[in-house]
Amino acid sequence: MEKYIIHHTDALHGHVRISGAKNAALPILAACLLTEEPCEITNVPPLTDVFHMSELLQEAGCFASYDEKTETLSVCAKEITSDLSESEQAGKMRASFLVAGPLLARCLHTFVPLPGGCRIGTRPIDLHLKGLQALGAKHKTEHGIVELHAKQLKGASIYLDFPSVGATENILLAAVLAKGRTVIENAAAEPEICDLADFLRKMGADISGDGTDTITVQGVSALYGASHSIIPDRMEAGTFMIAAAITGGDIILENVQEEHLKPVIAKLGECNVKTEKTAEGLRVYRKGRLKPLDIKTMPFPGFPTDLQAPFMSLLTLAKGTSVITETIFENRFLHAAELRRMGADIRTDSHCAVIEGVDELTGSKVHATDLRAGAALVLSALAAKGETEIGEIEHIARGYCHLEDKLRALGADIRKEESDE
Ligand code: UD1
């Protein structure tokens, strides 16, 4: 167990390179199960969730090897087993269930444990199963293991009750090898879905409409090996933008796609934080005191739920009252109690947080309850007076690579220590 020790940091300055997106890498690694041929994925961030997915692929019989120097993951799923009922990796993260679609498509029978993940809500998989069922699969869950089987997968019209990112991905991952045409309506339109679709097209899949709410897939009989570079991580980018804002800094983000950050750029602009495209990257700097604002989390292109906690940190120091409404997950305000320990004035009920800005935060002993909550605490600690100790930082390593090195390079006073707890 490790902890972060962070001291107050004045304005961050300098350049930071944004890594590949965790949420794009995970489904793309699962997609490698769809072909016997080797695949090479680059710009893969060295994160614990990525390592768990790589080990899960190995449990399924794949060759999977990560070169940390080049951030390249090579996968070959020549001979695989579709029975993952004994998997040690599956329970470690939510995204493990993304192997269900490809294993079903390739082997027509699979056993996959129910997924694990952050404590931010119940996170059922009913929409994944409904979609796979529409493609012709039967399923049952016993002793925590989901069994899926089909004689043949057949294209279907699927309407999702909610534009679930994971369900859209799982259905896409099965439909590419189904017979005939699949249309997914009310599909998720996140950039990570488009990255997955891009990779699948390189493998030979026939997909159109990704990035909109209607995705059409014409099934093909086989897919082939392909190479692909993962898109930049918009959540890591957003977190560094907020780090610049909360410290009154001025930084340049390299390797970002501005169009993926539109809702974040818009909200930062509202609270006095400017962004500017430069030849070197995206410049982010604050102009004066932070202004309060209201945020409602929404599916893309709305404001991302994954940046709700980091943004709350920022708003604790705005001049006035802000309101955050969380519409995606039912239990995503765990960070509010920790921020209160640092002097923040936040009231929450089930889906709403009211934040009264304070003049300063004070260093304290806090705990990262989940991945993005952990990021929020790091951000507040940078701005807080004195020393902050953040425990359970293994949650943060699930989604941010070399966070302390990247922040130190921008001038932050942050170090990692063994935790005695
Ligand atoms: C993905 C992201 C996560 C992000 C989330 C929403 C990955 C690995 N993770 O998670 O970082 O916060 O999208 O943008 O990409 N739901 C159901 N039934 C289902 C599936 C989902 O009720 O079968 C509900 C969930 O409980 C949640 C909401 O739908 O309340 C959104 O979930 P979903 O979009 O599926 O998120 P994930 O794919 O799990």
Side-chain angles (χ1 to χ4, degrees):
M1 294 283 250
E2 288 175 316
K3 61 185 178 187
Y4 277 141
I5 306 291
I6 302 176
H7 288 98
H8 174 84
T9 300
D10 286 329
L12 294 183
H13 269 96
H15 291 231
V16 60
R17 189 182 180 282
I18 300 305
S19 299
K22 165 178 89 73
N23 289 352
L26 297 174
I28 284 173
L29 293 179
C32 296
L33 286 165
L34 288 163
T35 177
E36 288 185 2
E37 295 185 0
C39 294
E40 194 177 80
I41 316 298
T42 53
N43 204 31
V44 178
L47 297 168
T48 45
D49 271 12
V50 167
F51 299 143
H52 289 323
M53 183 56 98
S54 168
E55 283 167 37
L56 183 62
L57 294 181
Q58 288 169 357
E59 287 178 337
C62 300
F63 166 83
S65 161
Y66 184 61
D67 179 351
E68 191 147 354
K69 221 168 172 185
T70 57
E71 300 197 340
T72 301
L73 221 157
S74 307
V75 182
C76 185
K78 194 167 173 56
E79 278 164 31
I80 55 169
T81 163
S82 60
D83 183 352
L84 286 174
S85 44
E86 299 293 321
S87 168
E88 284 182 16
Q89 301 304 321
K92 293 184 178 167
M93 60 176 171
R94 170 83 181 164
S96 61
F97 200 67
L98 293 176
V99 299
L103 286 176
L104 176 67
R106 180 125 172 237
C107 309
L108 295 177
H109 197 169
T110 183
F111 295 86
V112 182
L114 287 167
C118 280
R119 297 171 240 174
I120 56 179
T122 50
R123 305 185 81 173
I125 50 161
D126 56 317
L127 299 173
H128 299 238
L129 295 176
K130 221 167 133 182
L132 297 175
Q133 191 175 341
L135 296 175
K138 292 200 165 47
H139 63 87
K140 72 170 184 229
T141 304
E142 274 178 2
H143 310 297
I145 310 288
V146 182
E147 178 184 2
L148 285 149
H149 62 97
K151 282 207 173 72
Q152 183 187 36
L153 291 184
K154 286 194 188 139
S157 282
I158 300 166
Y159 177 85
L160 291 177
D161 298 334
F162 180 86
S164 153
V165 174
T168 303
E169 290 167 345
N170 234 337
I171 296 166
L172 206 51
L173 286 162
V176 282
L177 285 180
K179 194 172 162 49
R181 197 165 83 124
T182 298
V183 179
I184 314 171
E185 283 181 279
N186 202 25
E190 268 67 3
E192 293 76 18
I193 303 274
C194 300
D195 207 31
L196 171 63
D198 280 342
F199 177 57
L200 289 169
R201 275 190 287 264
K202 288 180 188 170
M203 295 175 83
D206 182 350
I207 303 170
S208 57
D210 46 297
T212 74
D213 62 4
T214 307
I215 303 179
T216 304
V217 184
Q218 189 66 45
V220 294
S221 55
L223 292 170
Y224 307 97
S227 300
H228 185 74
S229 177
I230 301 288
I231 54 168
D233 194 314
R234 61 194 170 103
M235 304 313 168
E236 188 194 16
T239 304
F240 276 97
M241 292 167 90
I242 298 169
I246 205 165
T247 61
D250 187 344
I251 67 169
I252 293 194
L253 283 81
E254 297 166 4
N255 190 37
V256 289
Q257 289 195 10
E258 228 182 305
E259 65 276 17
H260 297 171
L261 289 163
K262 270 188 188 158
V264 184
I265 291 174
K267 283 294 165 189
L268 283 173
E270 268 182 51
C271 64
N272 259 346
V273 181
K274 309 282 172 214
T275 43
E276 216 173 84
K277 209 174 176 165
T278 73
E280 294 165 291
L282 189 65
R283 179 178 171 212
V284 188
Y285 60 102
R286 191 167 99 195
K287 272 251 179 254
R289 177 93 198 249
L290 291 164
K291 285 196 205 156
L293 53 86
D294 295 346
I295 288 179
K296 193 174 189 177
T297 62
M298 299 288 274
F300 191 83
F303 188 88
T305 172
D306 285 353
L307 288 176
Q308 179 259 107
F311 229 95
M312 188 183 290
S313 287
L314 185 65
L315 296 176
T316 61
L317 290 168
K319 192 176 168 55
T321 309
S322 303
V323 177
I324 295 184
T325 311
E326 171 60 57
T327 74
I328 310 291
F329 291 105
E330 68 265 31
N331 190 25
R332 212 172 196 182
F333 286 139
L334 294 169
H335 45 286
E338 301 299 302
L339 291 174
R340 276 196 290 265
R341 287 176 189 273
M342 301 177 73
D345 181 349
I346 306 167
R347 275 169 294 133
T348 57
D349 69 16
S350 57
H351 284 282
C352 239
V354 179
I355 304 128
E356 303 288 350
V358 294
D359 287 335
E360 67 176 17
L361 296 172
T362 50
S364 172
K365 198 171 168 181
V366 288
H367 284 92
T369 49
D370 61 74
L371 163 57
R372 306 299 168 185
L377 295 176
V378 170
L379 293 169
S380 288
L382 294 173
K385 214 169 99 184
E387 180 180 287
T388 301
E389 182 182 315
I390 307 178
E392 293 183 54
I393 60 169
E394 62 278 7
H395 289 295
I396 303 175
R398 291 188 41 221
Y400 295 89
C401 54
H402 308 305
L403 180 63
E404 59 281 7
D405 298 338
K406 288 183 177 184
L407 282 171
R408 255 198 311 269
L410 295 171
D413 183 350
I414 172 171
R415 66 177 195 275
K416 213 188 240 179
E417 274 184 11
E418 280 302 314
S419 172
D420 36 21
E421 280 176 21

